[in-house]
């Protein structure tokens, strides 16, 4: 039976491995983290994703999916490792891709196919990865196949999107493209477009996330300008989007996650032409500071205040806090202080509390809803979790000291919260 080895068992690798196993292939999942492999063998997932737990559990019990400690040989090697940004440099760190390439090289046989799914700067597949794999003496496009097929799935809807999204893939030659297409054709119902130029496909993936980031930056700027005219930005954007060729995204407290704040920079890896794209990044990165200014403006001063931040996941209905705008806002407002520290440092504020019904990360100090809002001068909604639409304004009003709620995601029922006595400020 065809064996697929999936390298990297994170947000993309694990669900992809499970979906491929579910399609009837023999899948071996490998990750360099001993702890992660151990937890997966014990049946513990390191992140929350609808349906994933059950699918991993079932495919494991059926013997289709195994988690291995040593990289085995495989007909296909799928590389799904992270590509973080080098801190302070706005450049991609492709070290994990190269390391995975070395692991594949150690077991690579003639006739095997290697597919890179990670988001990378243009030129990585035919550059760094190809060189690493060819250190074996085998040639890509001759003795083995090599292709790039970037993942496009949205956290919170991973399984559905792995199975149904249209895909774009490119091999280094016709055979590589055909071999990769055969694999993806087994488990996706989406349309598969193919090319034989991986660099174009790498570029396209970055262009997609850059489009979204720049569009959100436009929405954020429009929202700030709209406020100066007394115009409701959400209403204005909804009305603007009635035009058949306009699709402005939604403003918010900033852009988080592991893709949009990073991927646009990868376009600048070998080009110094980034201009609008850089500005958009700056506009989005400055949103937490804008929200902090809004709070200061509405409260008069932030000194000795208590601010409750509602939502520290990077977006609604996920538990991932990577580059979370809510956490950025907390840092912008200052380190979390206990009330007794306030006396010690002369009463400078604000005190910041965090609430998030999805976040279980022990590194993030989340309180219960009641503790977060008790005595707060203002509450700021920074994530559009479904649960937030159910928050009780009357009960919240009873517990809070102040009456300001800044709803950066427009999730609260403005009328109900106003009726309960709140001043509701949207972004
Ligand atoms: N956001 C806004 N306003 C919007 C849309 C998003 O402020 O109108 C914010 C979100 O709140 C969040 C951030 O942007 O903080 C990113 O969220 P997202 O839902 O836009 O995207 P991700 O990072 O979860 O997933 C993106 C997706 N890319 C596109 O939609 C083009 C996904 O399809 C990709 O697979 C993923 O990046 C990836 O891994 O590259």
């Amino acid at each position: 039976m065809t064996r697929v080895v999936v390298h990297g068992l994170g947000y993309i690798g694990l669900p992809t491995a499970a979906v491929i196993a579910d399609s009837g292939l023999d899948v071996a999942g490998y990750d360099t983290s001993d702890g992660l492999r151990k937890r997966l063998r014990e049946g513990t997932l390191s992140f929350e994703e609808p349906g994933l737990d059950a699918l991993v559990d079932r495919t494991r019990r059926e013997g289709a999916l195994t988690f291995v400690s040593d990289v085995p040989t495989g007909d296909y090697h799928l590389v799904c490792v992270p590509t973080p940004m080098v801190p302070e440099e706005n450049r991609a760190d492709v070290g994990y891709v190269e390391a995975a390439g070395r692991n594949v090289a150690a077991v690579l046989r003639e006739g095997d196919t290697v597919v890179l799914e990670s988001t990378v700067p243009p030129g990585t597949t035919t550059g760094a990865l190809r060189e690493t794999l060819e250190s074996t003496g085998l040639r890509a496009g001759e003795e083995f196949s090599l292709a790039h097929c970037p993942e496009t799935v949205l956290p919170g809807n991973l399984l559905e999107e792995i199975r149904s999204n249209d895909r774009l893939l490119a091999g280094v030659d016709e055979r590589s493209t055909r071999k990769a297409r055969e694999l993806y054709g087994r488990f996706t119902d989406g349309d598969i477009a193919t090319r034989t130029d991986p660099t174009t496909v790498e570029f396209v993936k970055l262009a997609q996330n850059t489009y979204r980031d720049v569009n959100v930056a436009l929405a954020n700027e429009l929202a700030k300008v709209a406020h100066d005219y007394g115009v409701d930005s959400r209403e204005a954007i909804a009305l603007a989007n009635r035009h058949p060729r306009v699709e402005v995204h939604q403003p918010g407290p900033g852009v988080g996650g592991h893709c949009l704040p990073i991927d646009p920079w990868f376009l600048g890896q070998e080009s110094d032409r980034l201009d609008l794209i850089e500005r958009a990044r700056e506009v989005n990165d400055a949103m937490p500071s804008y929200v902090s200014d809004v709070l200061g403006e509405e409260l008069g001063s932030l000194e000795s205040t208590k601010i409750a931040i509602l939502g520290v996941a990077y977006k609604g209905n996920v538990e991932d806090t990577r580059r979370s705008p809510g956490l950025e806002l907390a840092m912008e407002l200052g380190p979390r202080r206990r009330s007794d520290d306030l006396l010690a440092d002369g009463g400078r504020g604000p005190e910041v509390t965090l609430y998030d019904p999805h976040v279980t990360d022990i590194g993030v100090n989340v309180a219960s809803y009641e503790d977060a809002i008790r005595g707060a001068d203002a509450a700021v909604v920074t994530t559009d979790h479904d649960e937030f639409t159910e928050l009780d304004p009357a009960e919240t009003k009873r517990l809070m000291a102040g009456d300001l709620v800044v709803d950066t995601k427009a999730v609260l029922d403005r009328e109900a919260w106003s009726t309960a006595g709140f001043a509701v400020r949207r972004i």
Side-chain angles (χ1 to χ4, degrees):
M1 192 201 283
T2 302
R3 166 178 269 186
V4 182
V5 184
V6 176
H7 298 254
L9 297 173
Y11 290 87
I12 303 301
L14 181 64
T16 304
V19 168
I20 298 176
D22 194 36
S23 78
L25 299 183
D26 169 23
V27 179
Y30 174 76
D31 197 285
T32 51
S33 163
D34 298 338
L36 178 63
R37 291 196 312 265
K38 184 167 172 288
R39 284 195 300 280
L40 286 172
R41 285 205 195 96
E42 287 164 357
T44 313
L45 264 52
S46 51
F47 61 98
E48 179 190 84
E49 180 63 35
L52 184 59
D53 217 337
L55 185 65
V56 169
D57 187 52
R58 180 164 59 74
T59 48
R60 280 191 68 210
R61 274 191 284 104
E62 290 166 357
L65 174 63
T66 50
F67 299 120
V68 293
S69 303
D70 297 303
V71 178
T73 55
D75 306 289
Y76 285 94
H77 290 273
L78 220 60
V79 176
C80 305
V81 295
T83 37
M85 209 159 64
V86 182
E88 315 296 333
E89 284 186 33
N90 295 339
R91 290 178 63 80
D93 172 2
V94 293
Y96 292 107
V97 174
E98 289 169 338
R102 287 192 290 277
N103 286 337
V104 176
V107 296
L108 190 66
R109 305 166 304 184
E110 235 179 289
D112 290 347
T113 301
V114 184
V115 184
L116 177 65
E117 281 226 8
S118 312
T119 305
V120 290
T124 306
T125 306
T126 54
L129 181 58
R130 180 182 198 145
E131 277 162 33
T132 310
L133 296 168
E134 289 189 341
S135 65
T136 51
L138 299 174
R139 323 283 334 148
E142 291 170 33
E143 285 97 356
F144 71 95
S145 295
L146 174 62
H148 178 52
C149 182
E151 58 85 7
T152 58
V153 288
L154 199 70
N157 195 29
L158 290 177
L159 296 179
E160 164 64 20
E161 296 208 3
I162 289 173
R163 291 188 174 114
S164 63
N165 279 6
D166 289 348
R167 300 296 289 250
L168 173 60
L169 69 82
V172 296
D173 68 325
E174 293 289 352
R175 190 180 58 153
S176 297
T177 307
R178 185 171 38 79
K179 295 276 291 262
R181 200 188 186 293
E182 275 166 22
L183 174 66
Y184 284 81
R186 278 196 68 104
F187 66 91
T188 76
D189 300 332
D191 184 48
I192 304 173
T194 59
R195 292 288 182 277
T196 46
D197 170 15
T199 304
T200 298
V201 173
E202 290 163 338
F203 183 89
V204 168
K205 162 71 198 211
L206 298 175
Q208 289 167 334
N209 280 352
T210 301
Y211 161 78
R212 198 156 166 84
D213 192 49
V214 173
N215 198 327
V216 175
L218 171 65
N220 282 332
E221 188 156 312
L222 286 174
K224 289 187 279 184
V225 175
H227 179 72
D228 292 344
Y229 286 97
V231 168
D232 180 286
S233 67
R234 309 272 166 174
E235 190 191 357
I237 287 171
L239 291 170
N241 286 350
R242 289 166 60 89
H243 187 288
R245 282 177 295 283
V246 174
E247 198 198 330
V248 181
H249 287 9
Q250 295 303 311
V255 166
H258 50 291
C259 306
L260 267 54
I262 294 173
D263 294 357
W265 293 116
F266 290 7
L267 286 172
Q269 195 92 349
E270 299 297 334
S271 167
D272 57 9
R273 301 273 178 198
L274 267 55
D275 184 3
L276 171 69
I277 292 170
E278 273 191 29
R279 282 296 302 140
R281 282 278 67 253
E282 287 160 7
V283 167
N284 288 336
D285 279 350
M287 285 309 288
S289 155
Y290 175 73
V291 177
S292 165
D293 289 349
V294 166
L295 281 163
E297 202 179 285
E298 296 286 340
L299 291 172
S301 158
L302 288 173
E303 198 141 316
S304 301
T305 55
K306 177 173 172 177
I307 311 289
I309 295 180
L310 311 182
V312 289
Y314 85 87
K315 68 173 187 176
N317 306 321
V318 302
E319 45 129 48
D320 192 342
T321 59
R322 283 178 291 175
R323 292 181 178 254
S324 139
L327 289 180
E328 292 290 333
L329 174 63
M331 282 188 281
E332 188 71 35
L333 290 168
R336 185 178 190 280
R337 293 192 174 89
R338 293 196 327 271
S339 19
D340 47 346
D341 293 337
L342 287 173
L343 298 173
D345 70 8
R348 291 187 304 278
E351 178 188 1
V352 178
T353 53
L354 308 173
Y355 168 69
D356 195 302
H358 286 262
V359 171
T360 50
D361 184 347
I362 48 164
V364 182
N365 202 354
V366 286
S368 68
Y369 184 62
E370 289 72 19
D371 287 346
I373 60 164
R374 189 173 291 114
D377 298 285
V380 194
V381 177
T382 43
T383 307
D384 44 355
H385 290 316
D386 287 346
E387 289 88 341
F388 289 168
T389 59
E390 307 294 324
L391 292 174
D392 181 347
E395 175 66 2
T396 306
K397 184 77 186 50
R398 201 180 58 73
L399 287 167
M400 275 176 61
D403 61 5
L404 174 65
V405 57
V406 179
D407 183 6
T408 70
K409 288 296 214 176
V411 288
L412 305 180
D413 177 342
R414 191 161 38 179
E415 220 178 286
W417 284 71
S418 301
T419 307
F422 280 101
V424 182
R425 166 84 189 258
R426 282 183 172 179
I427 295 289

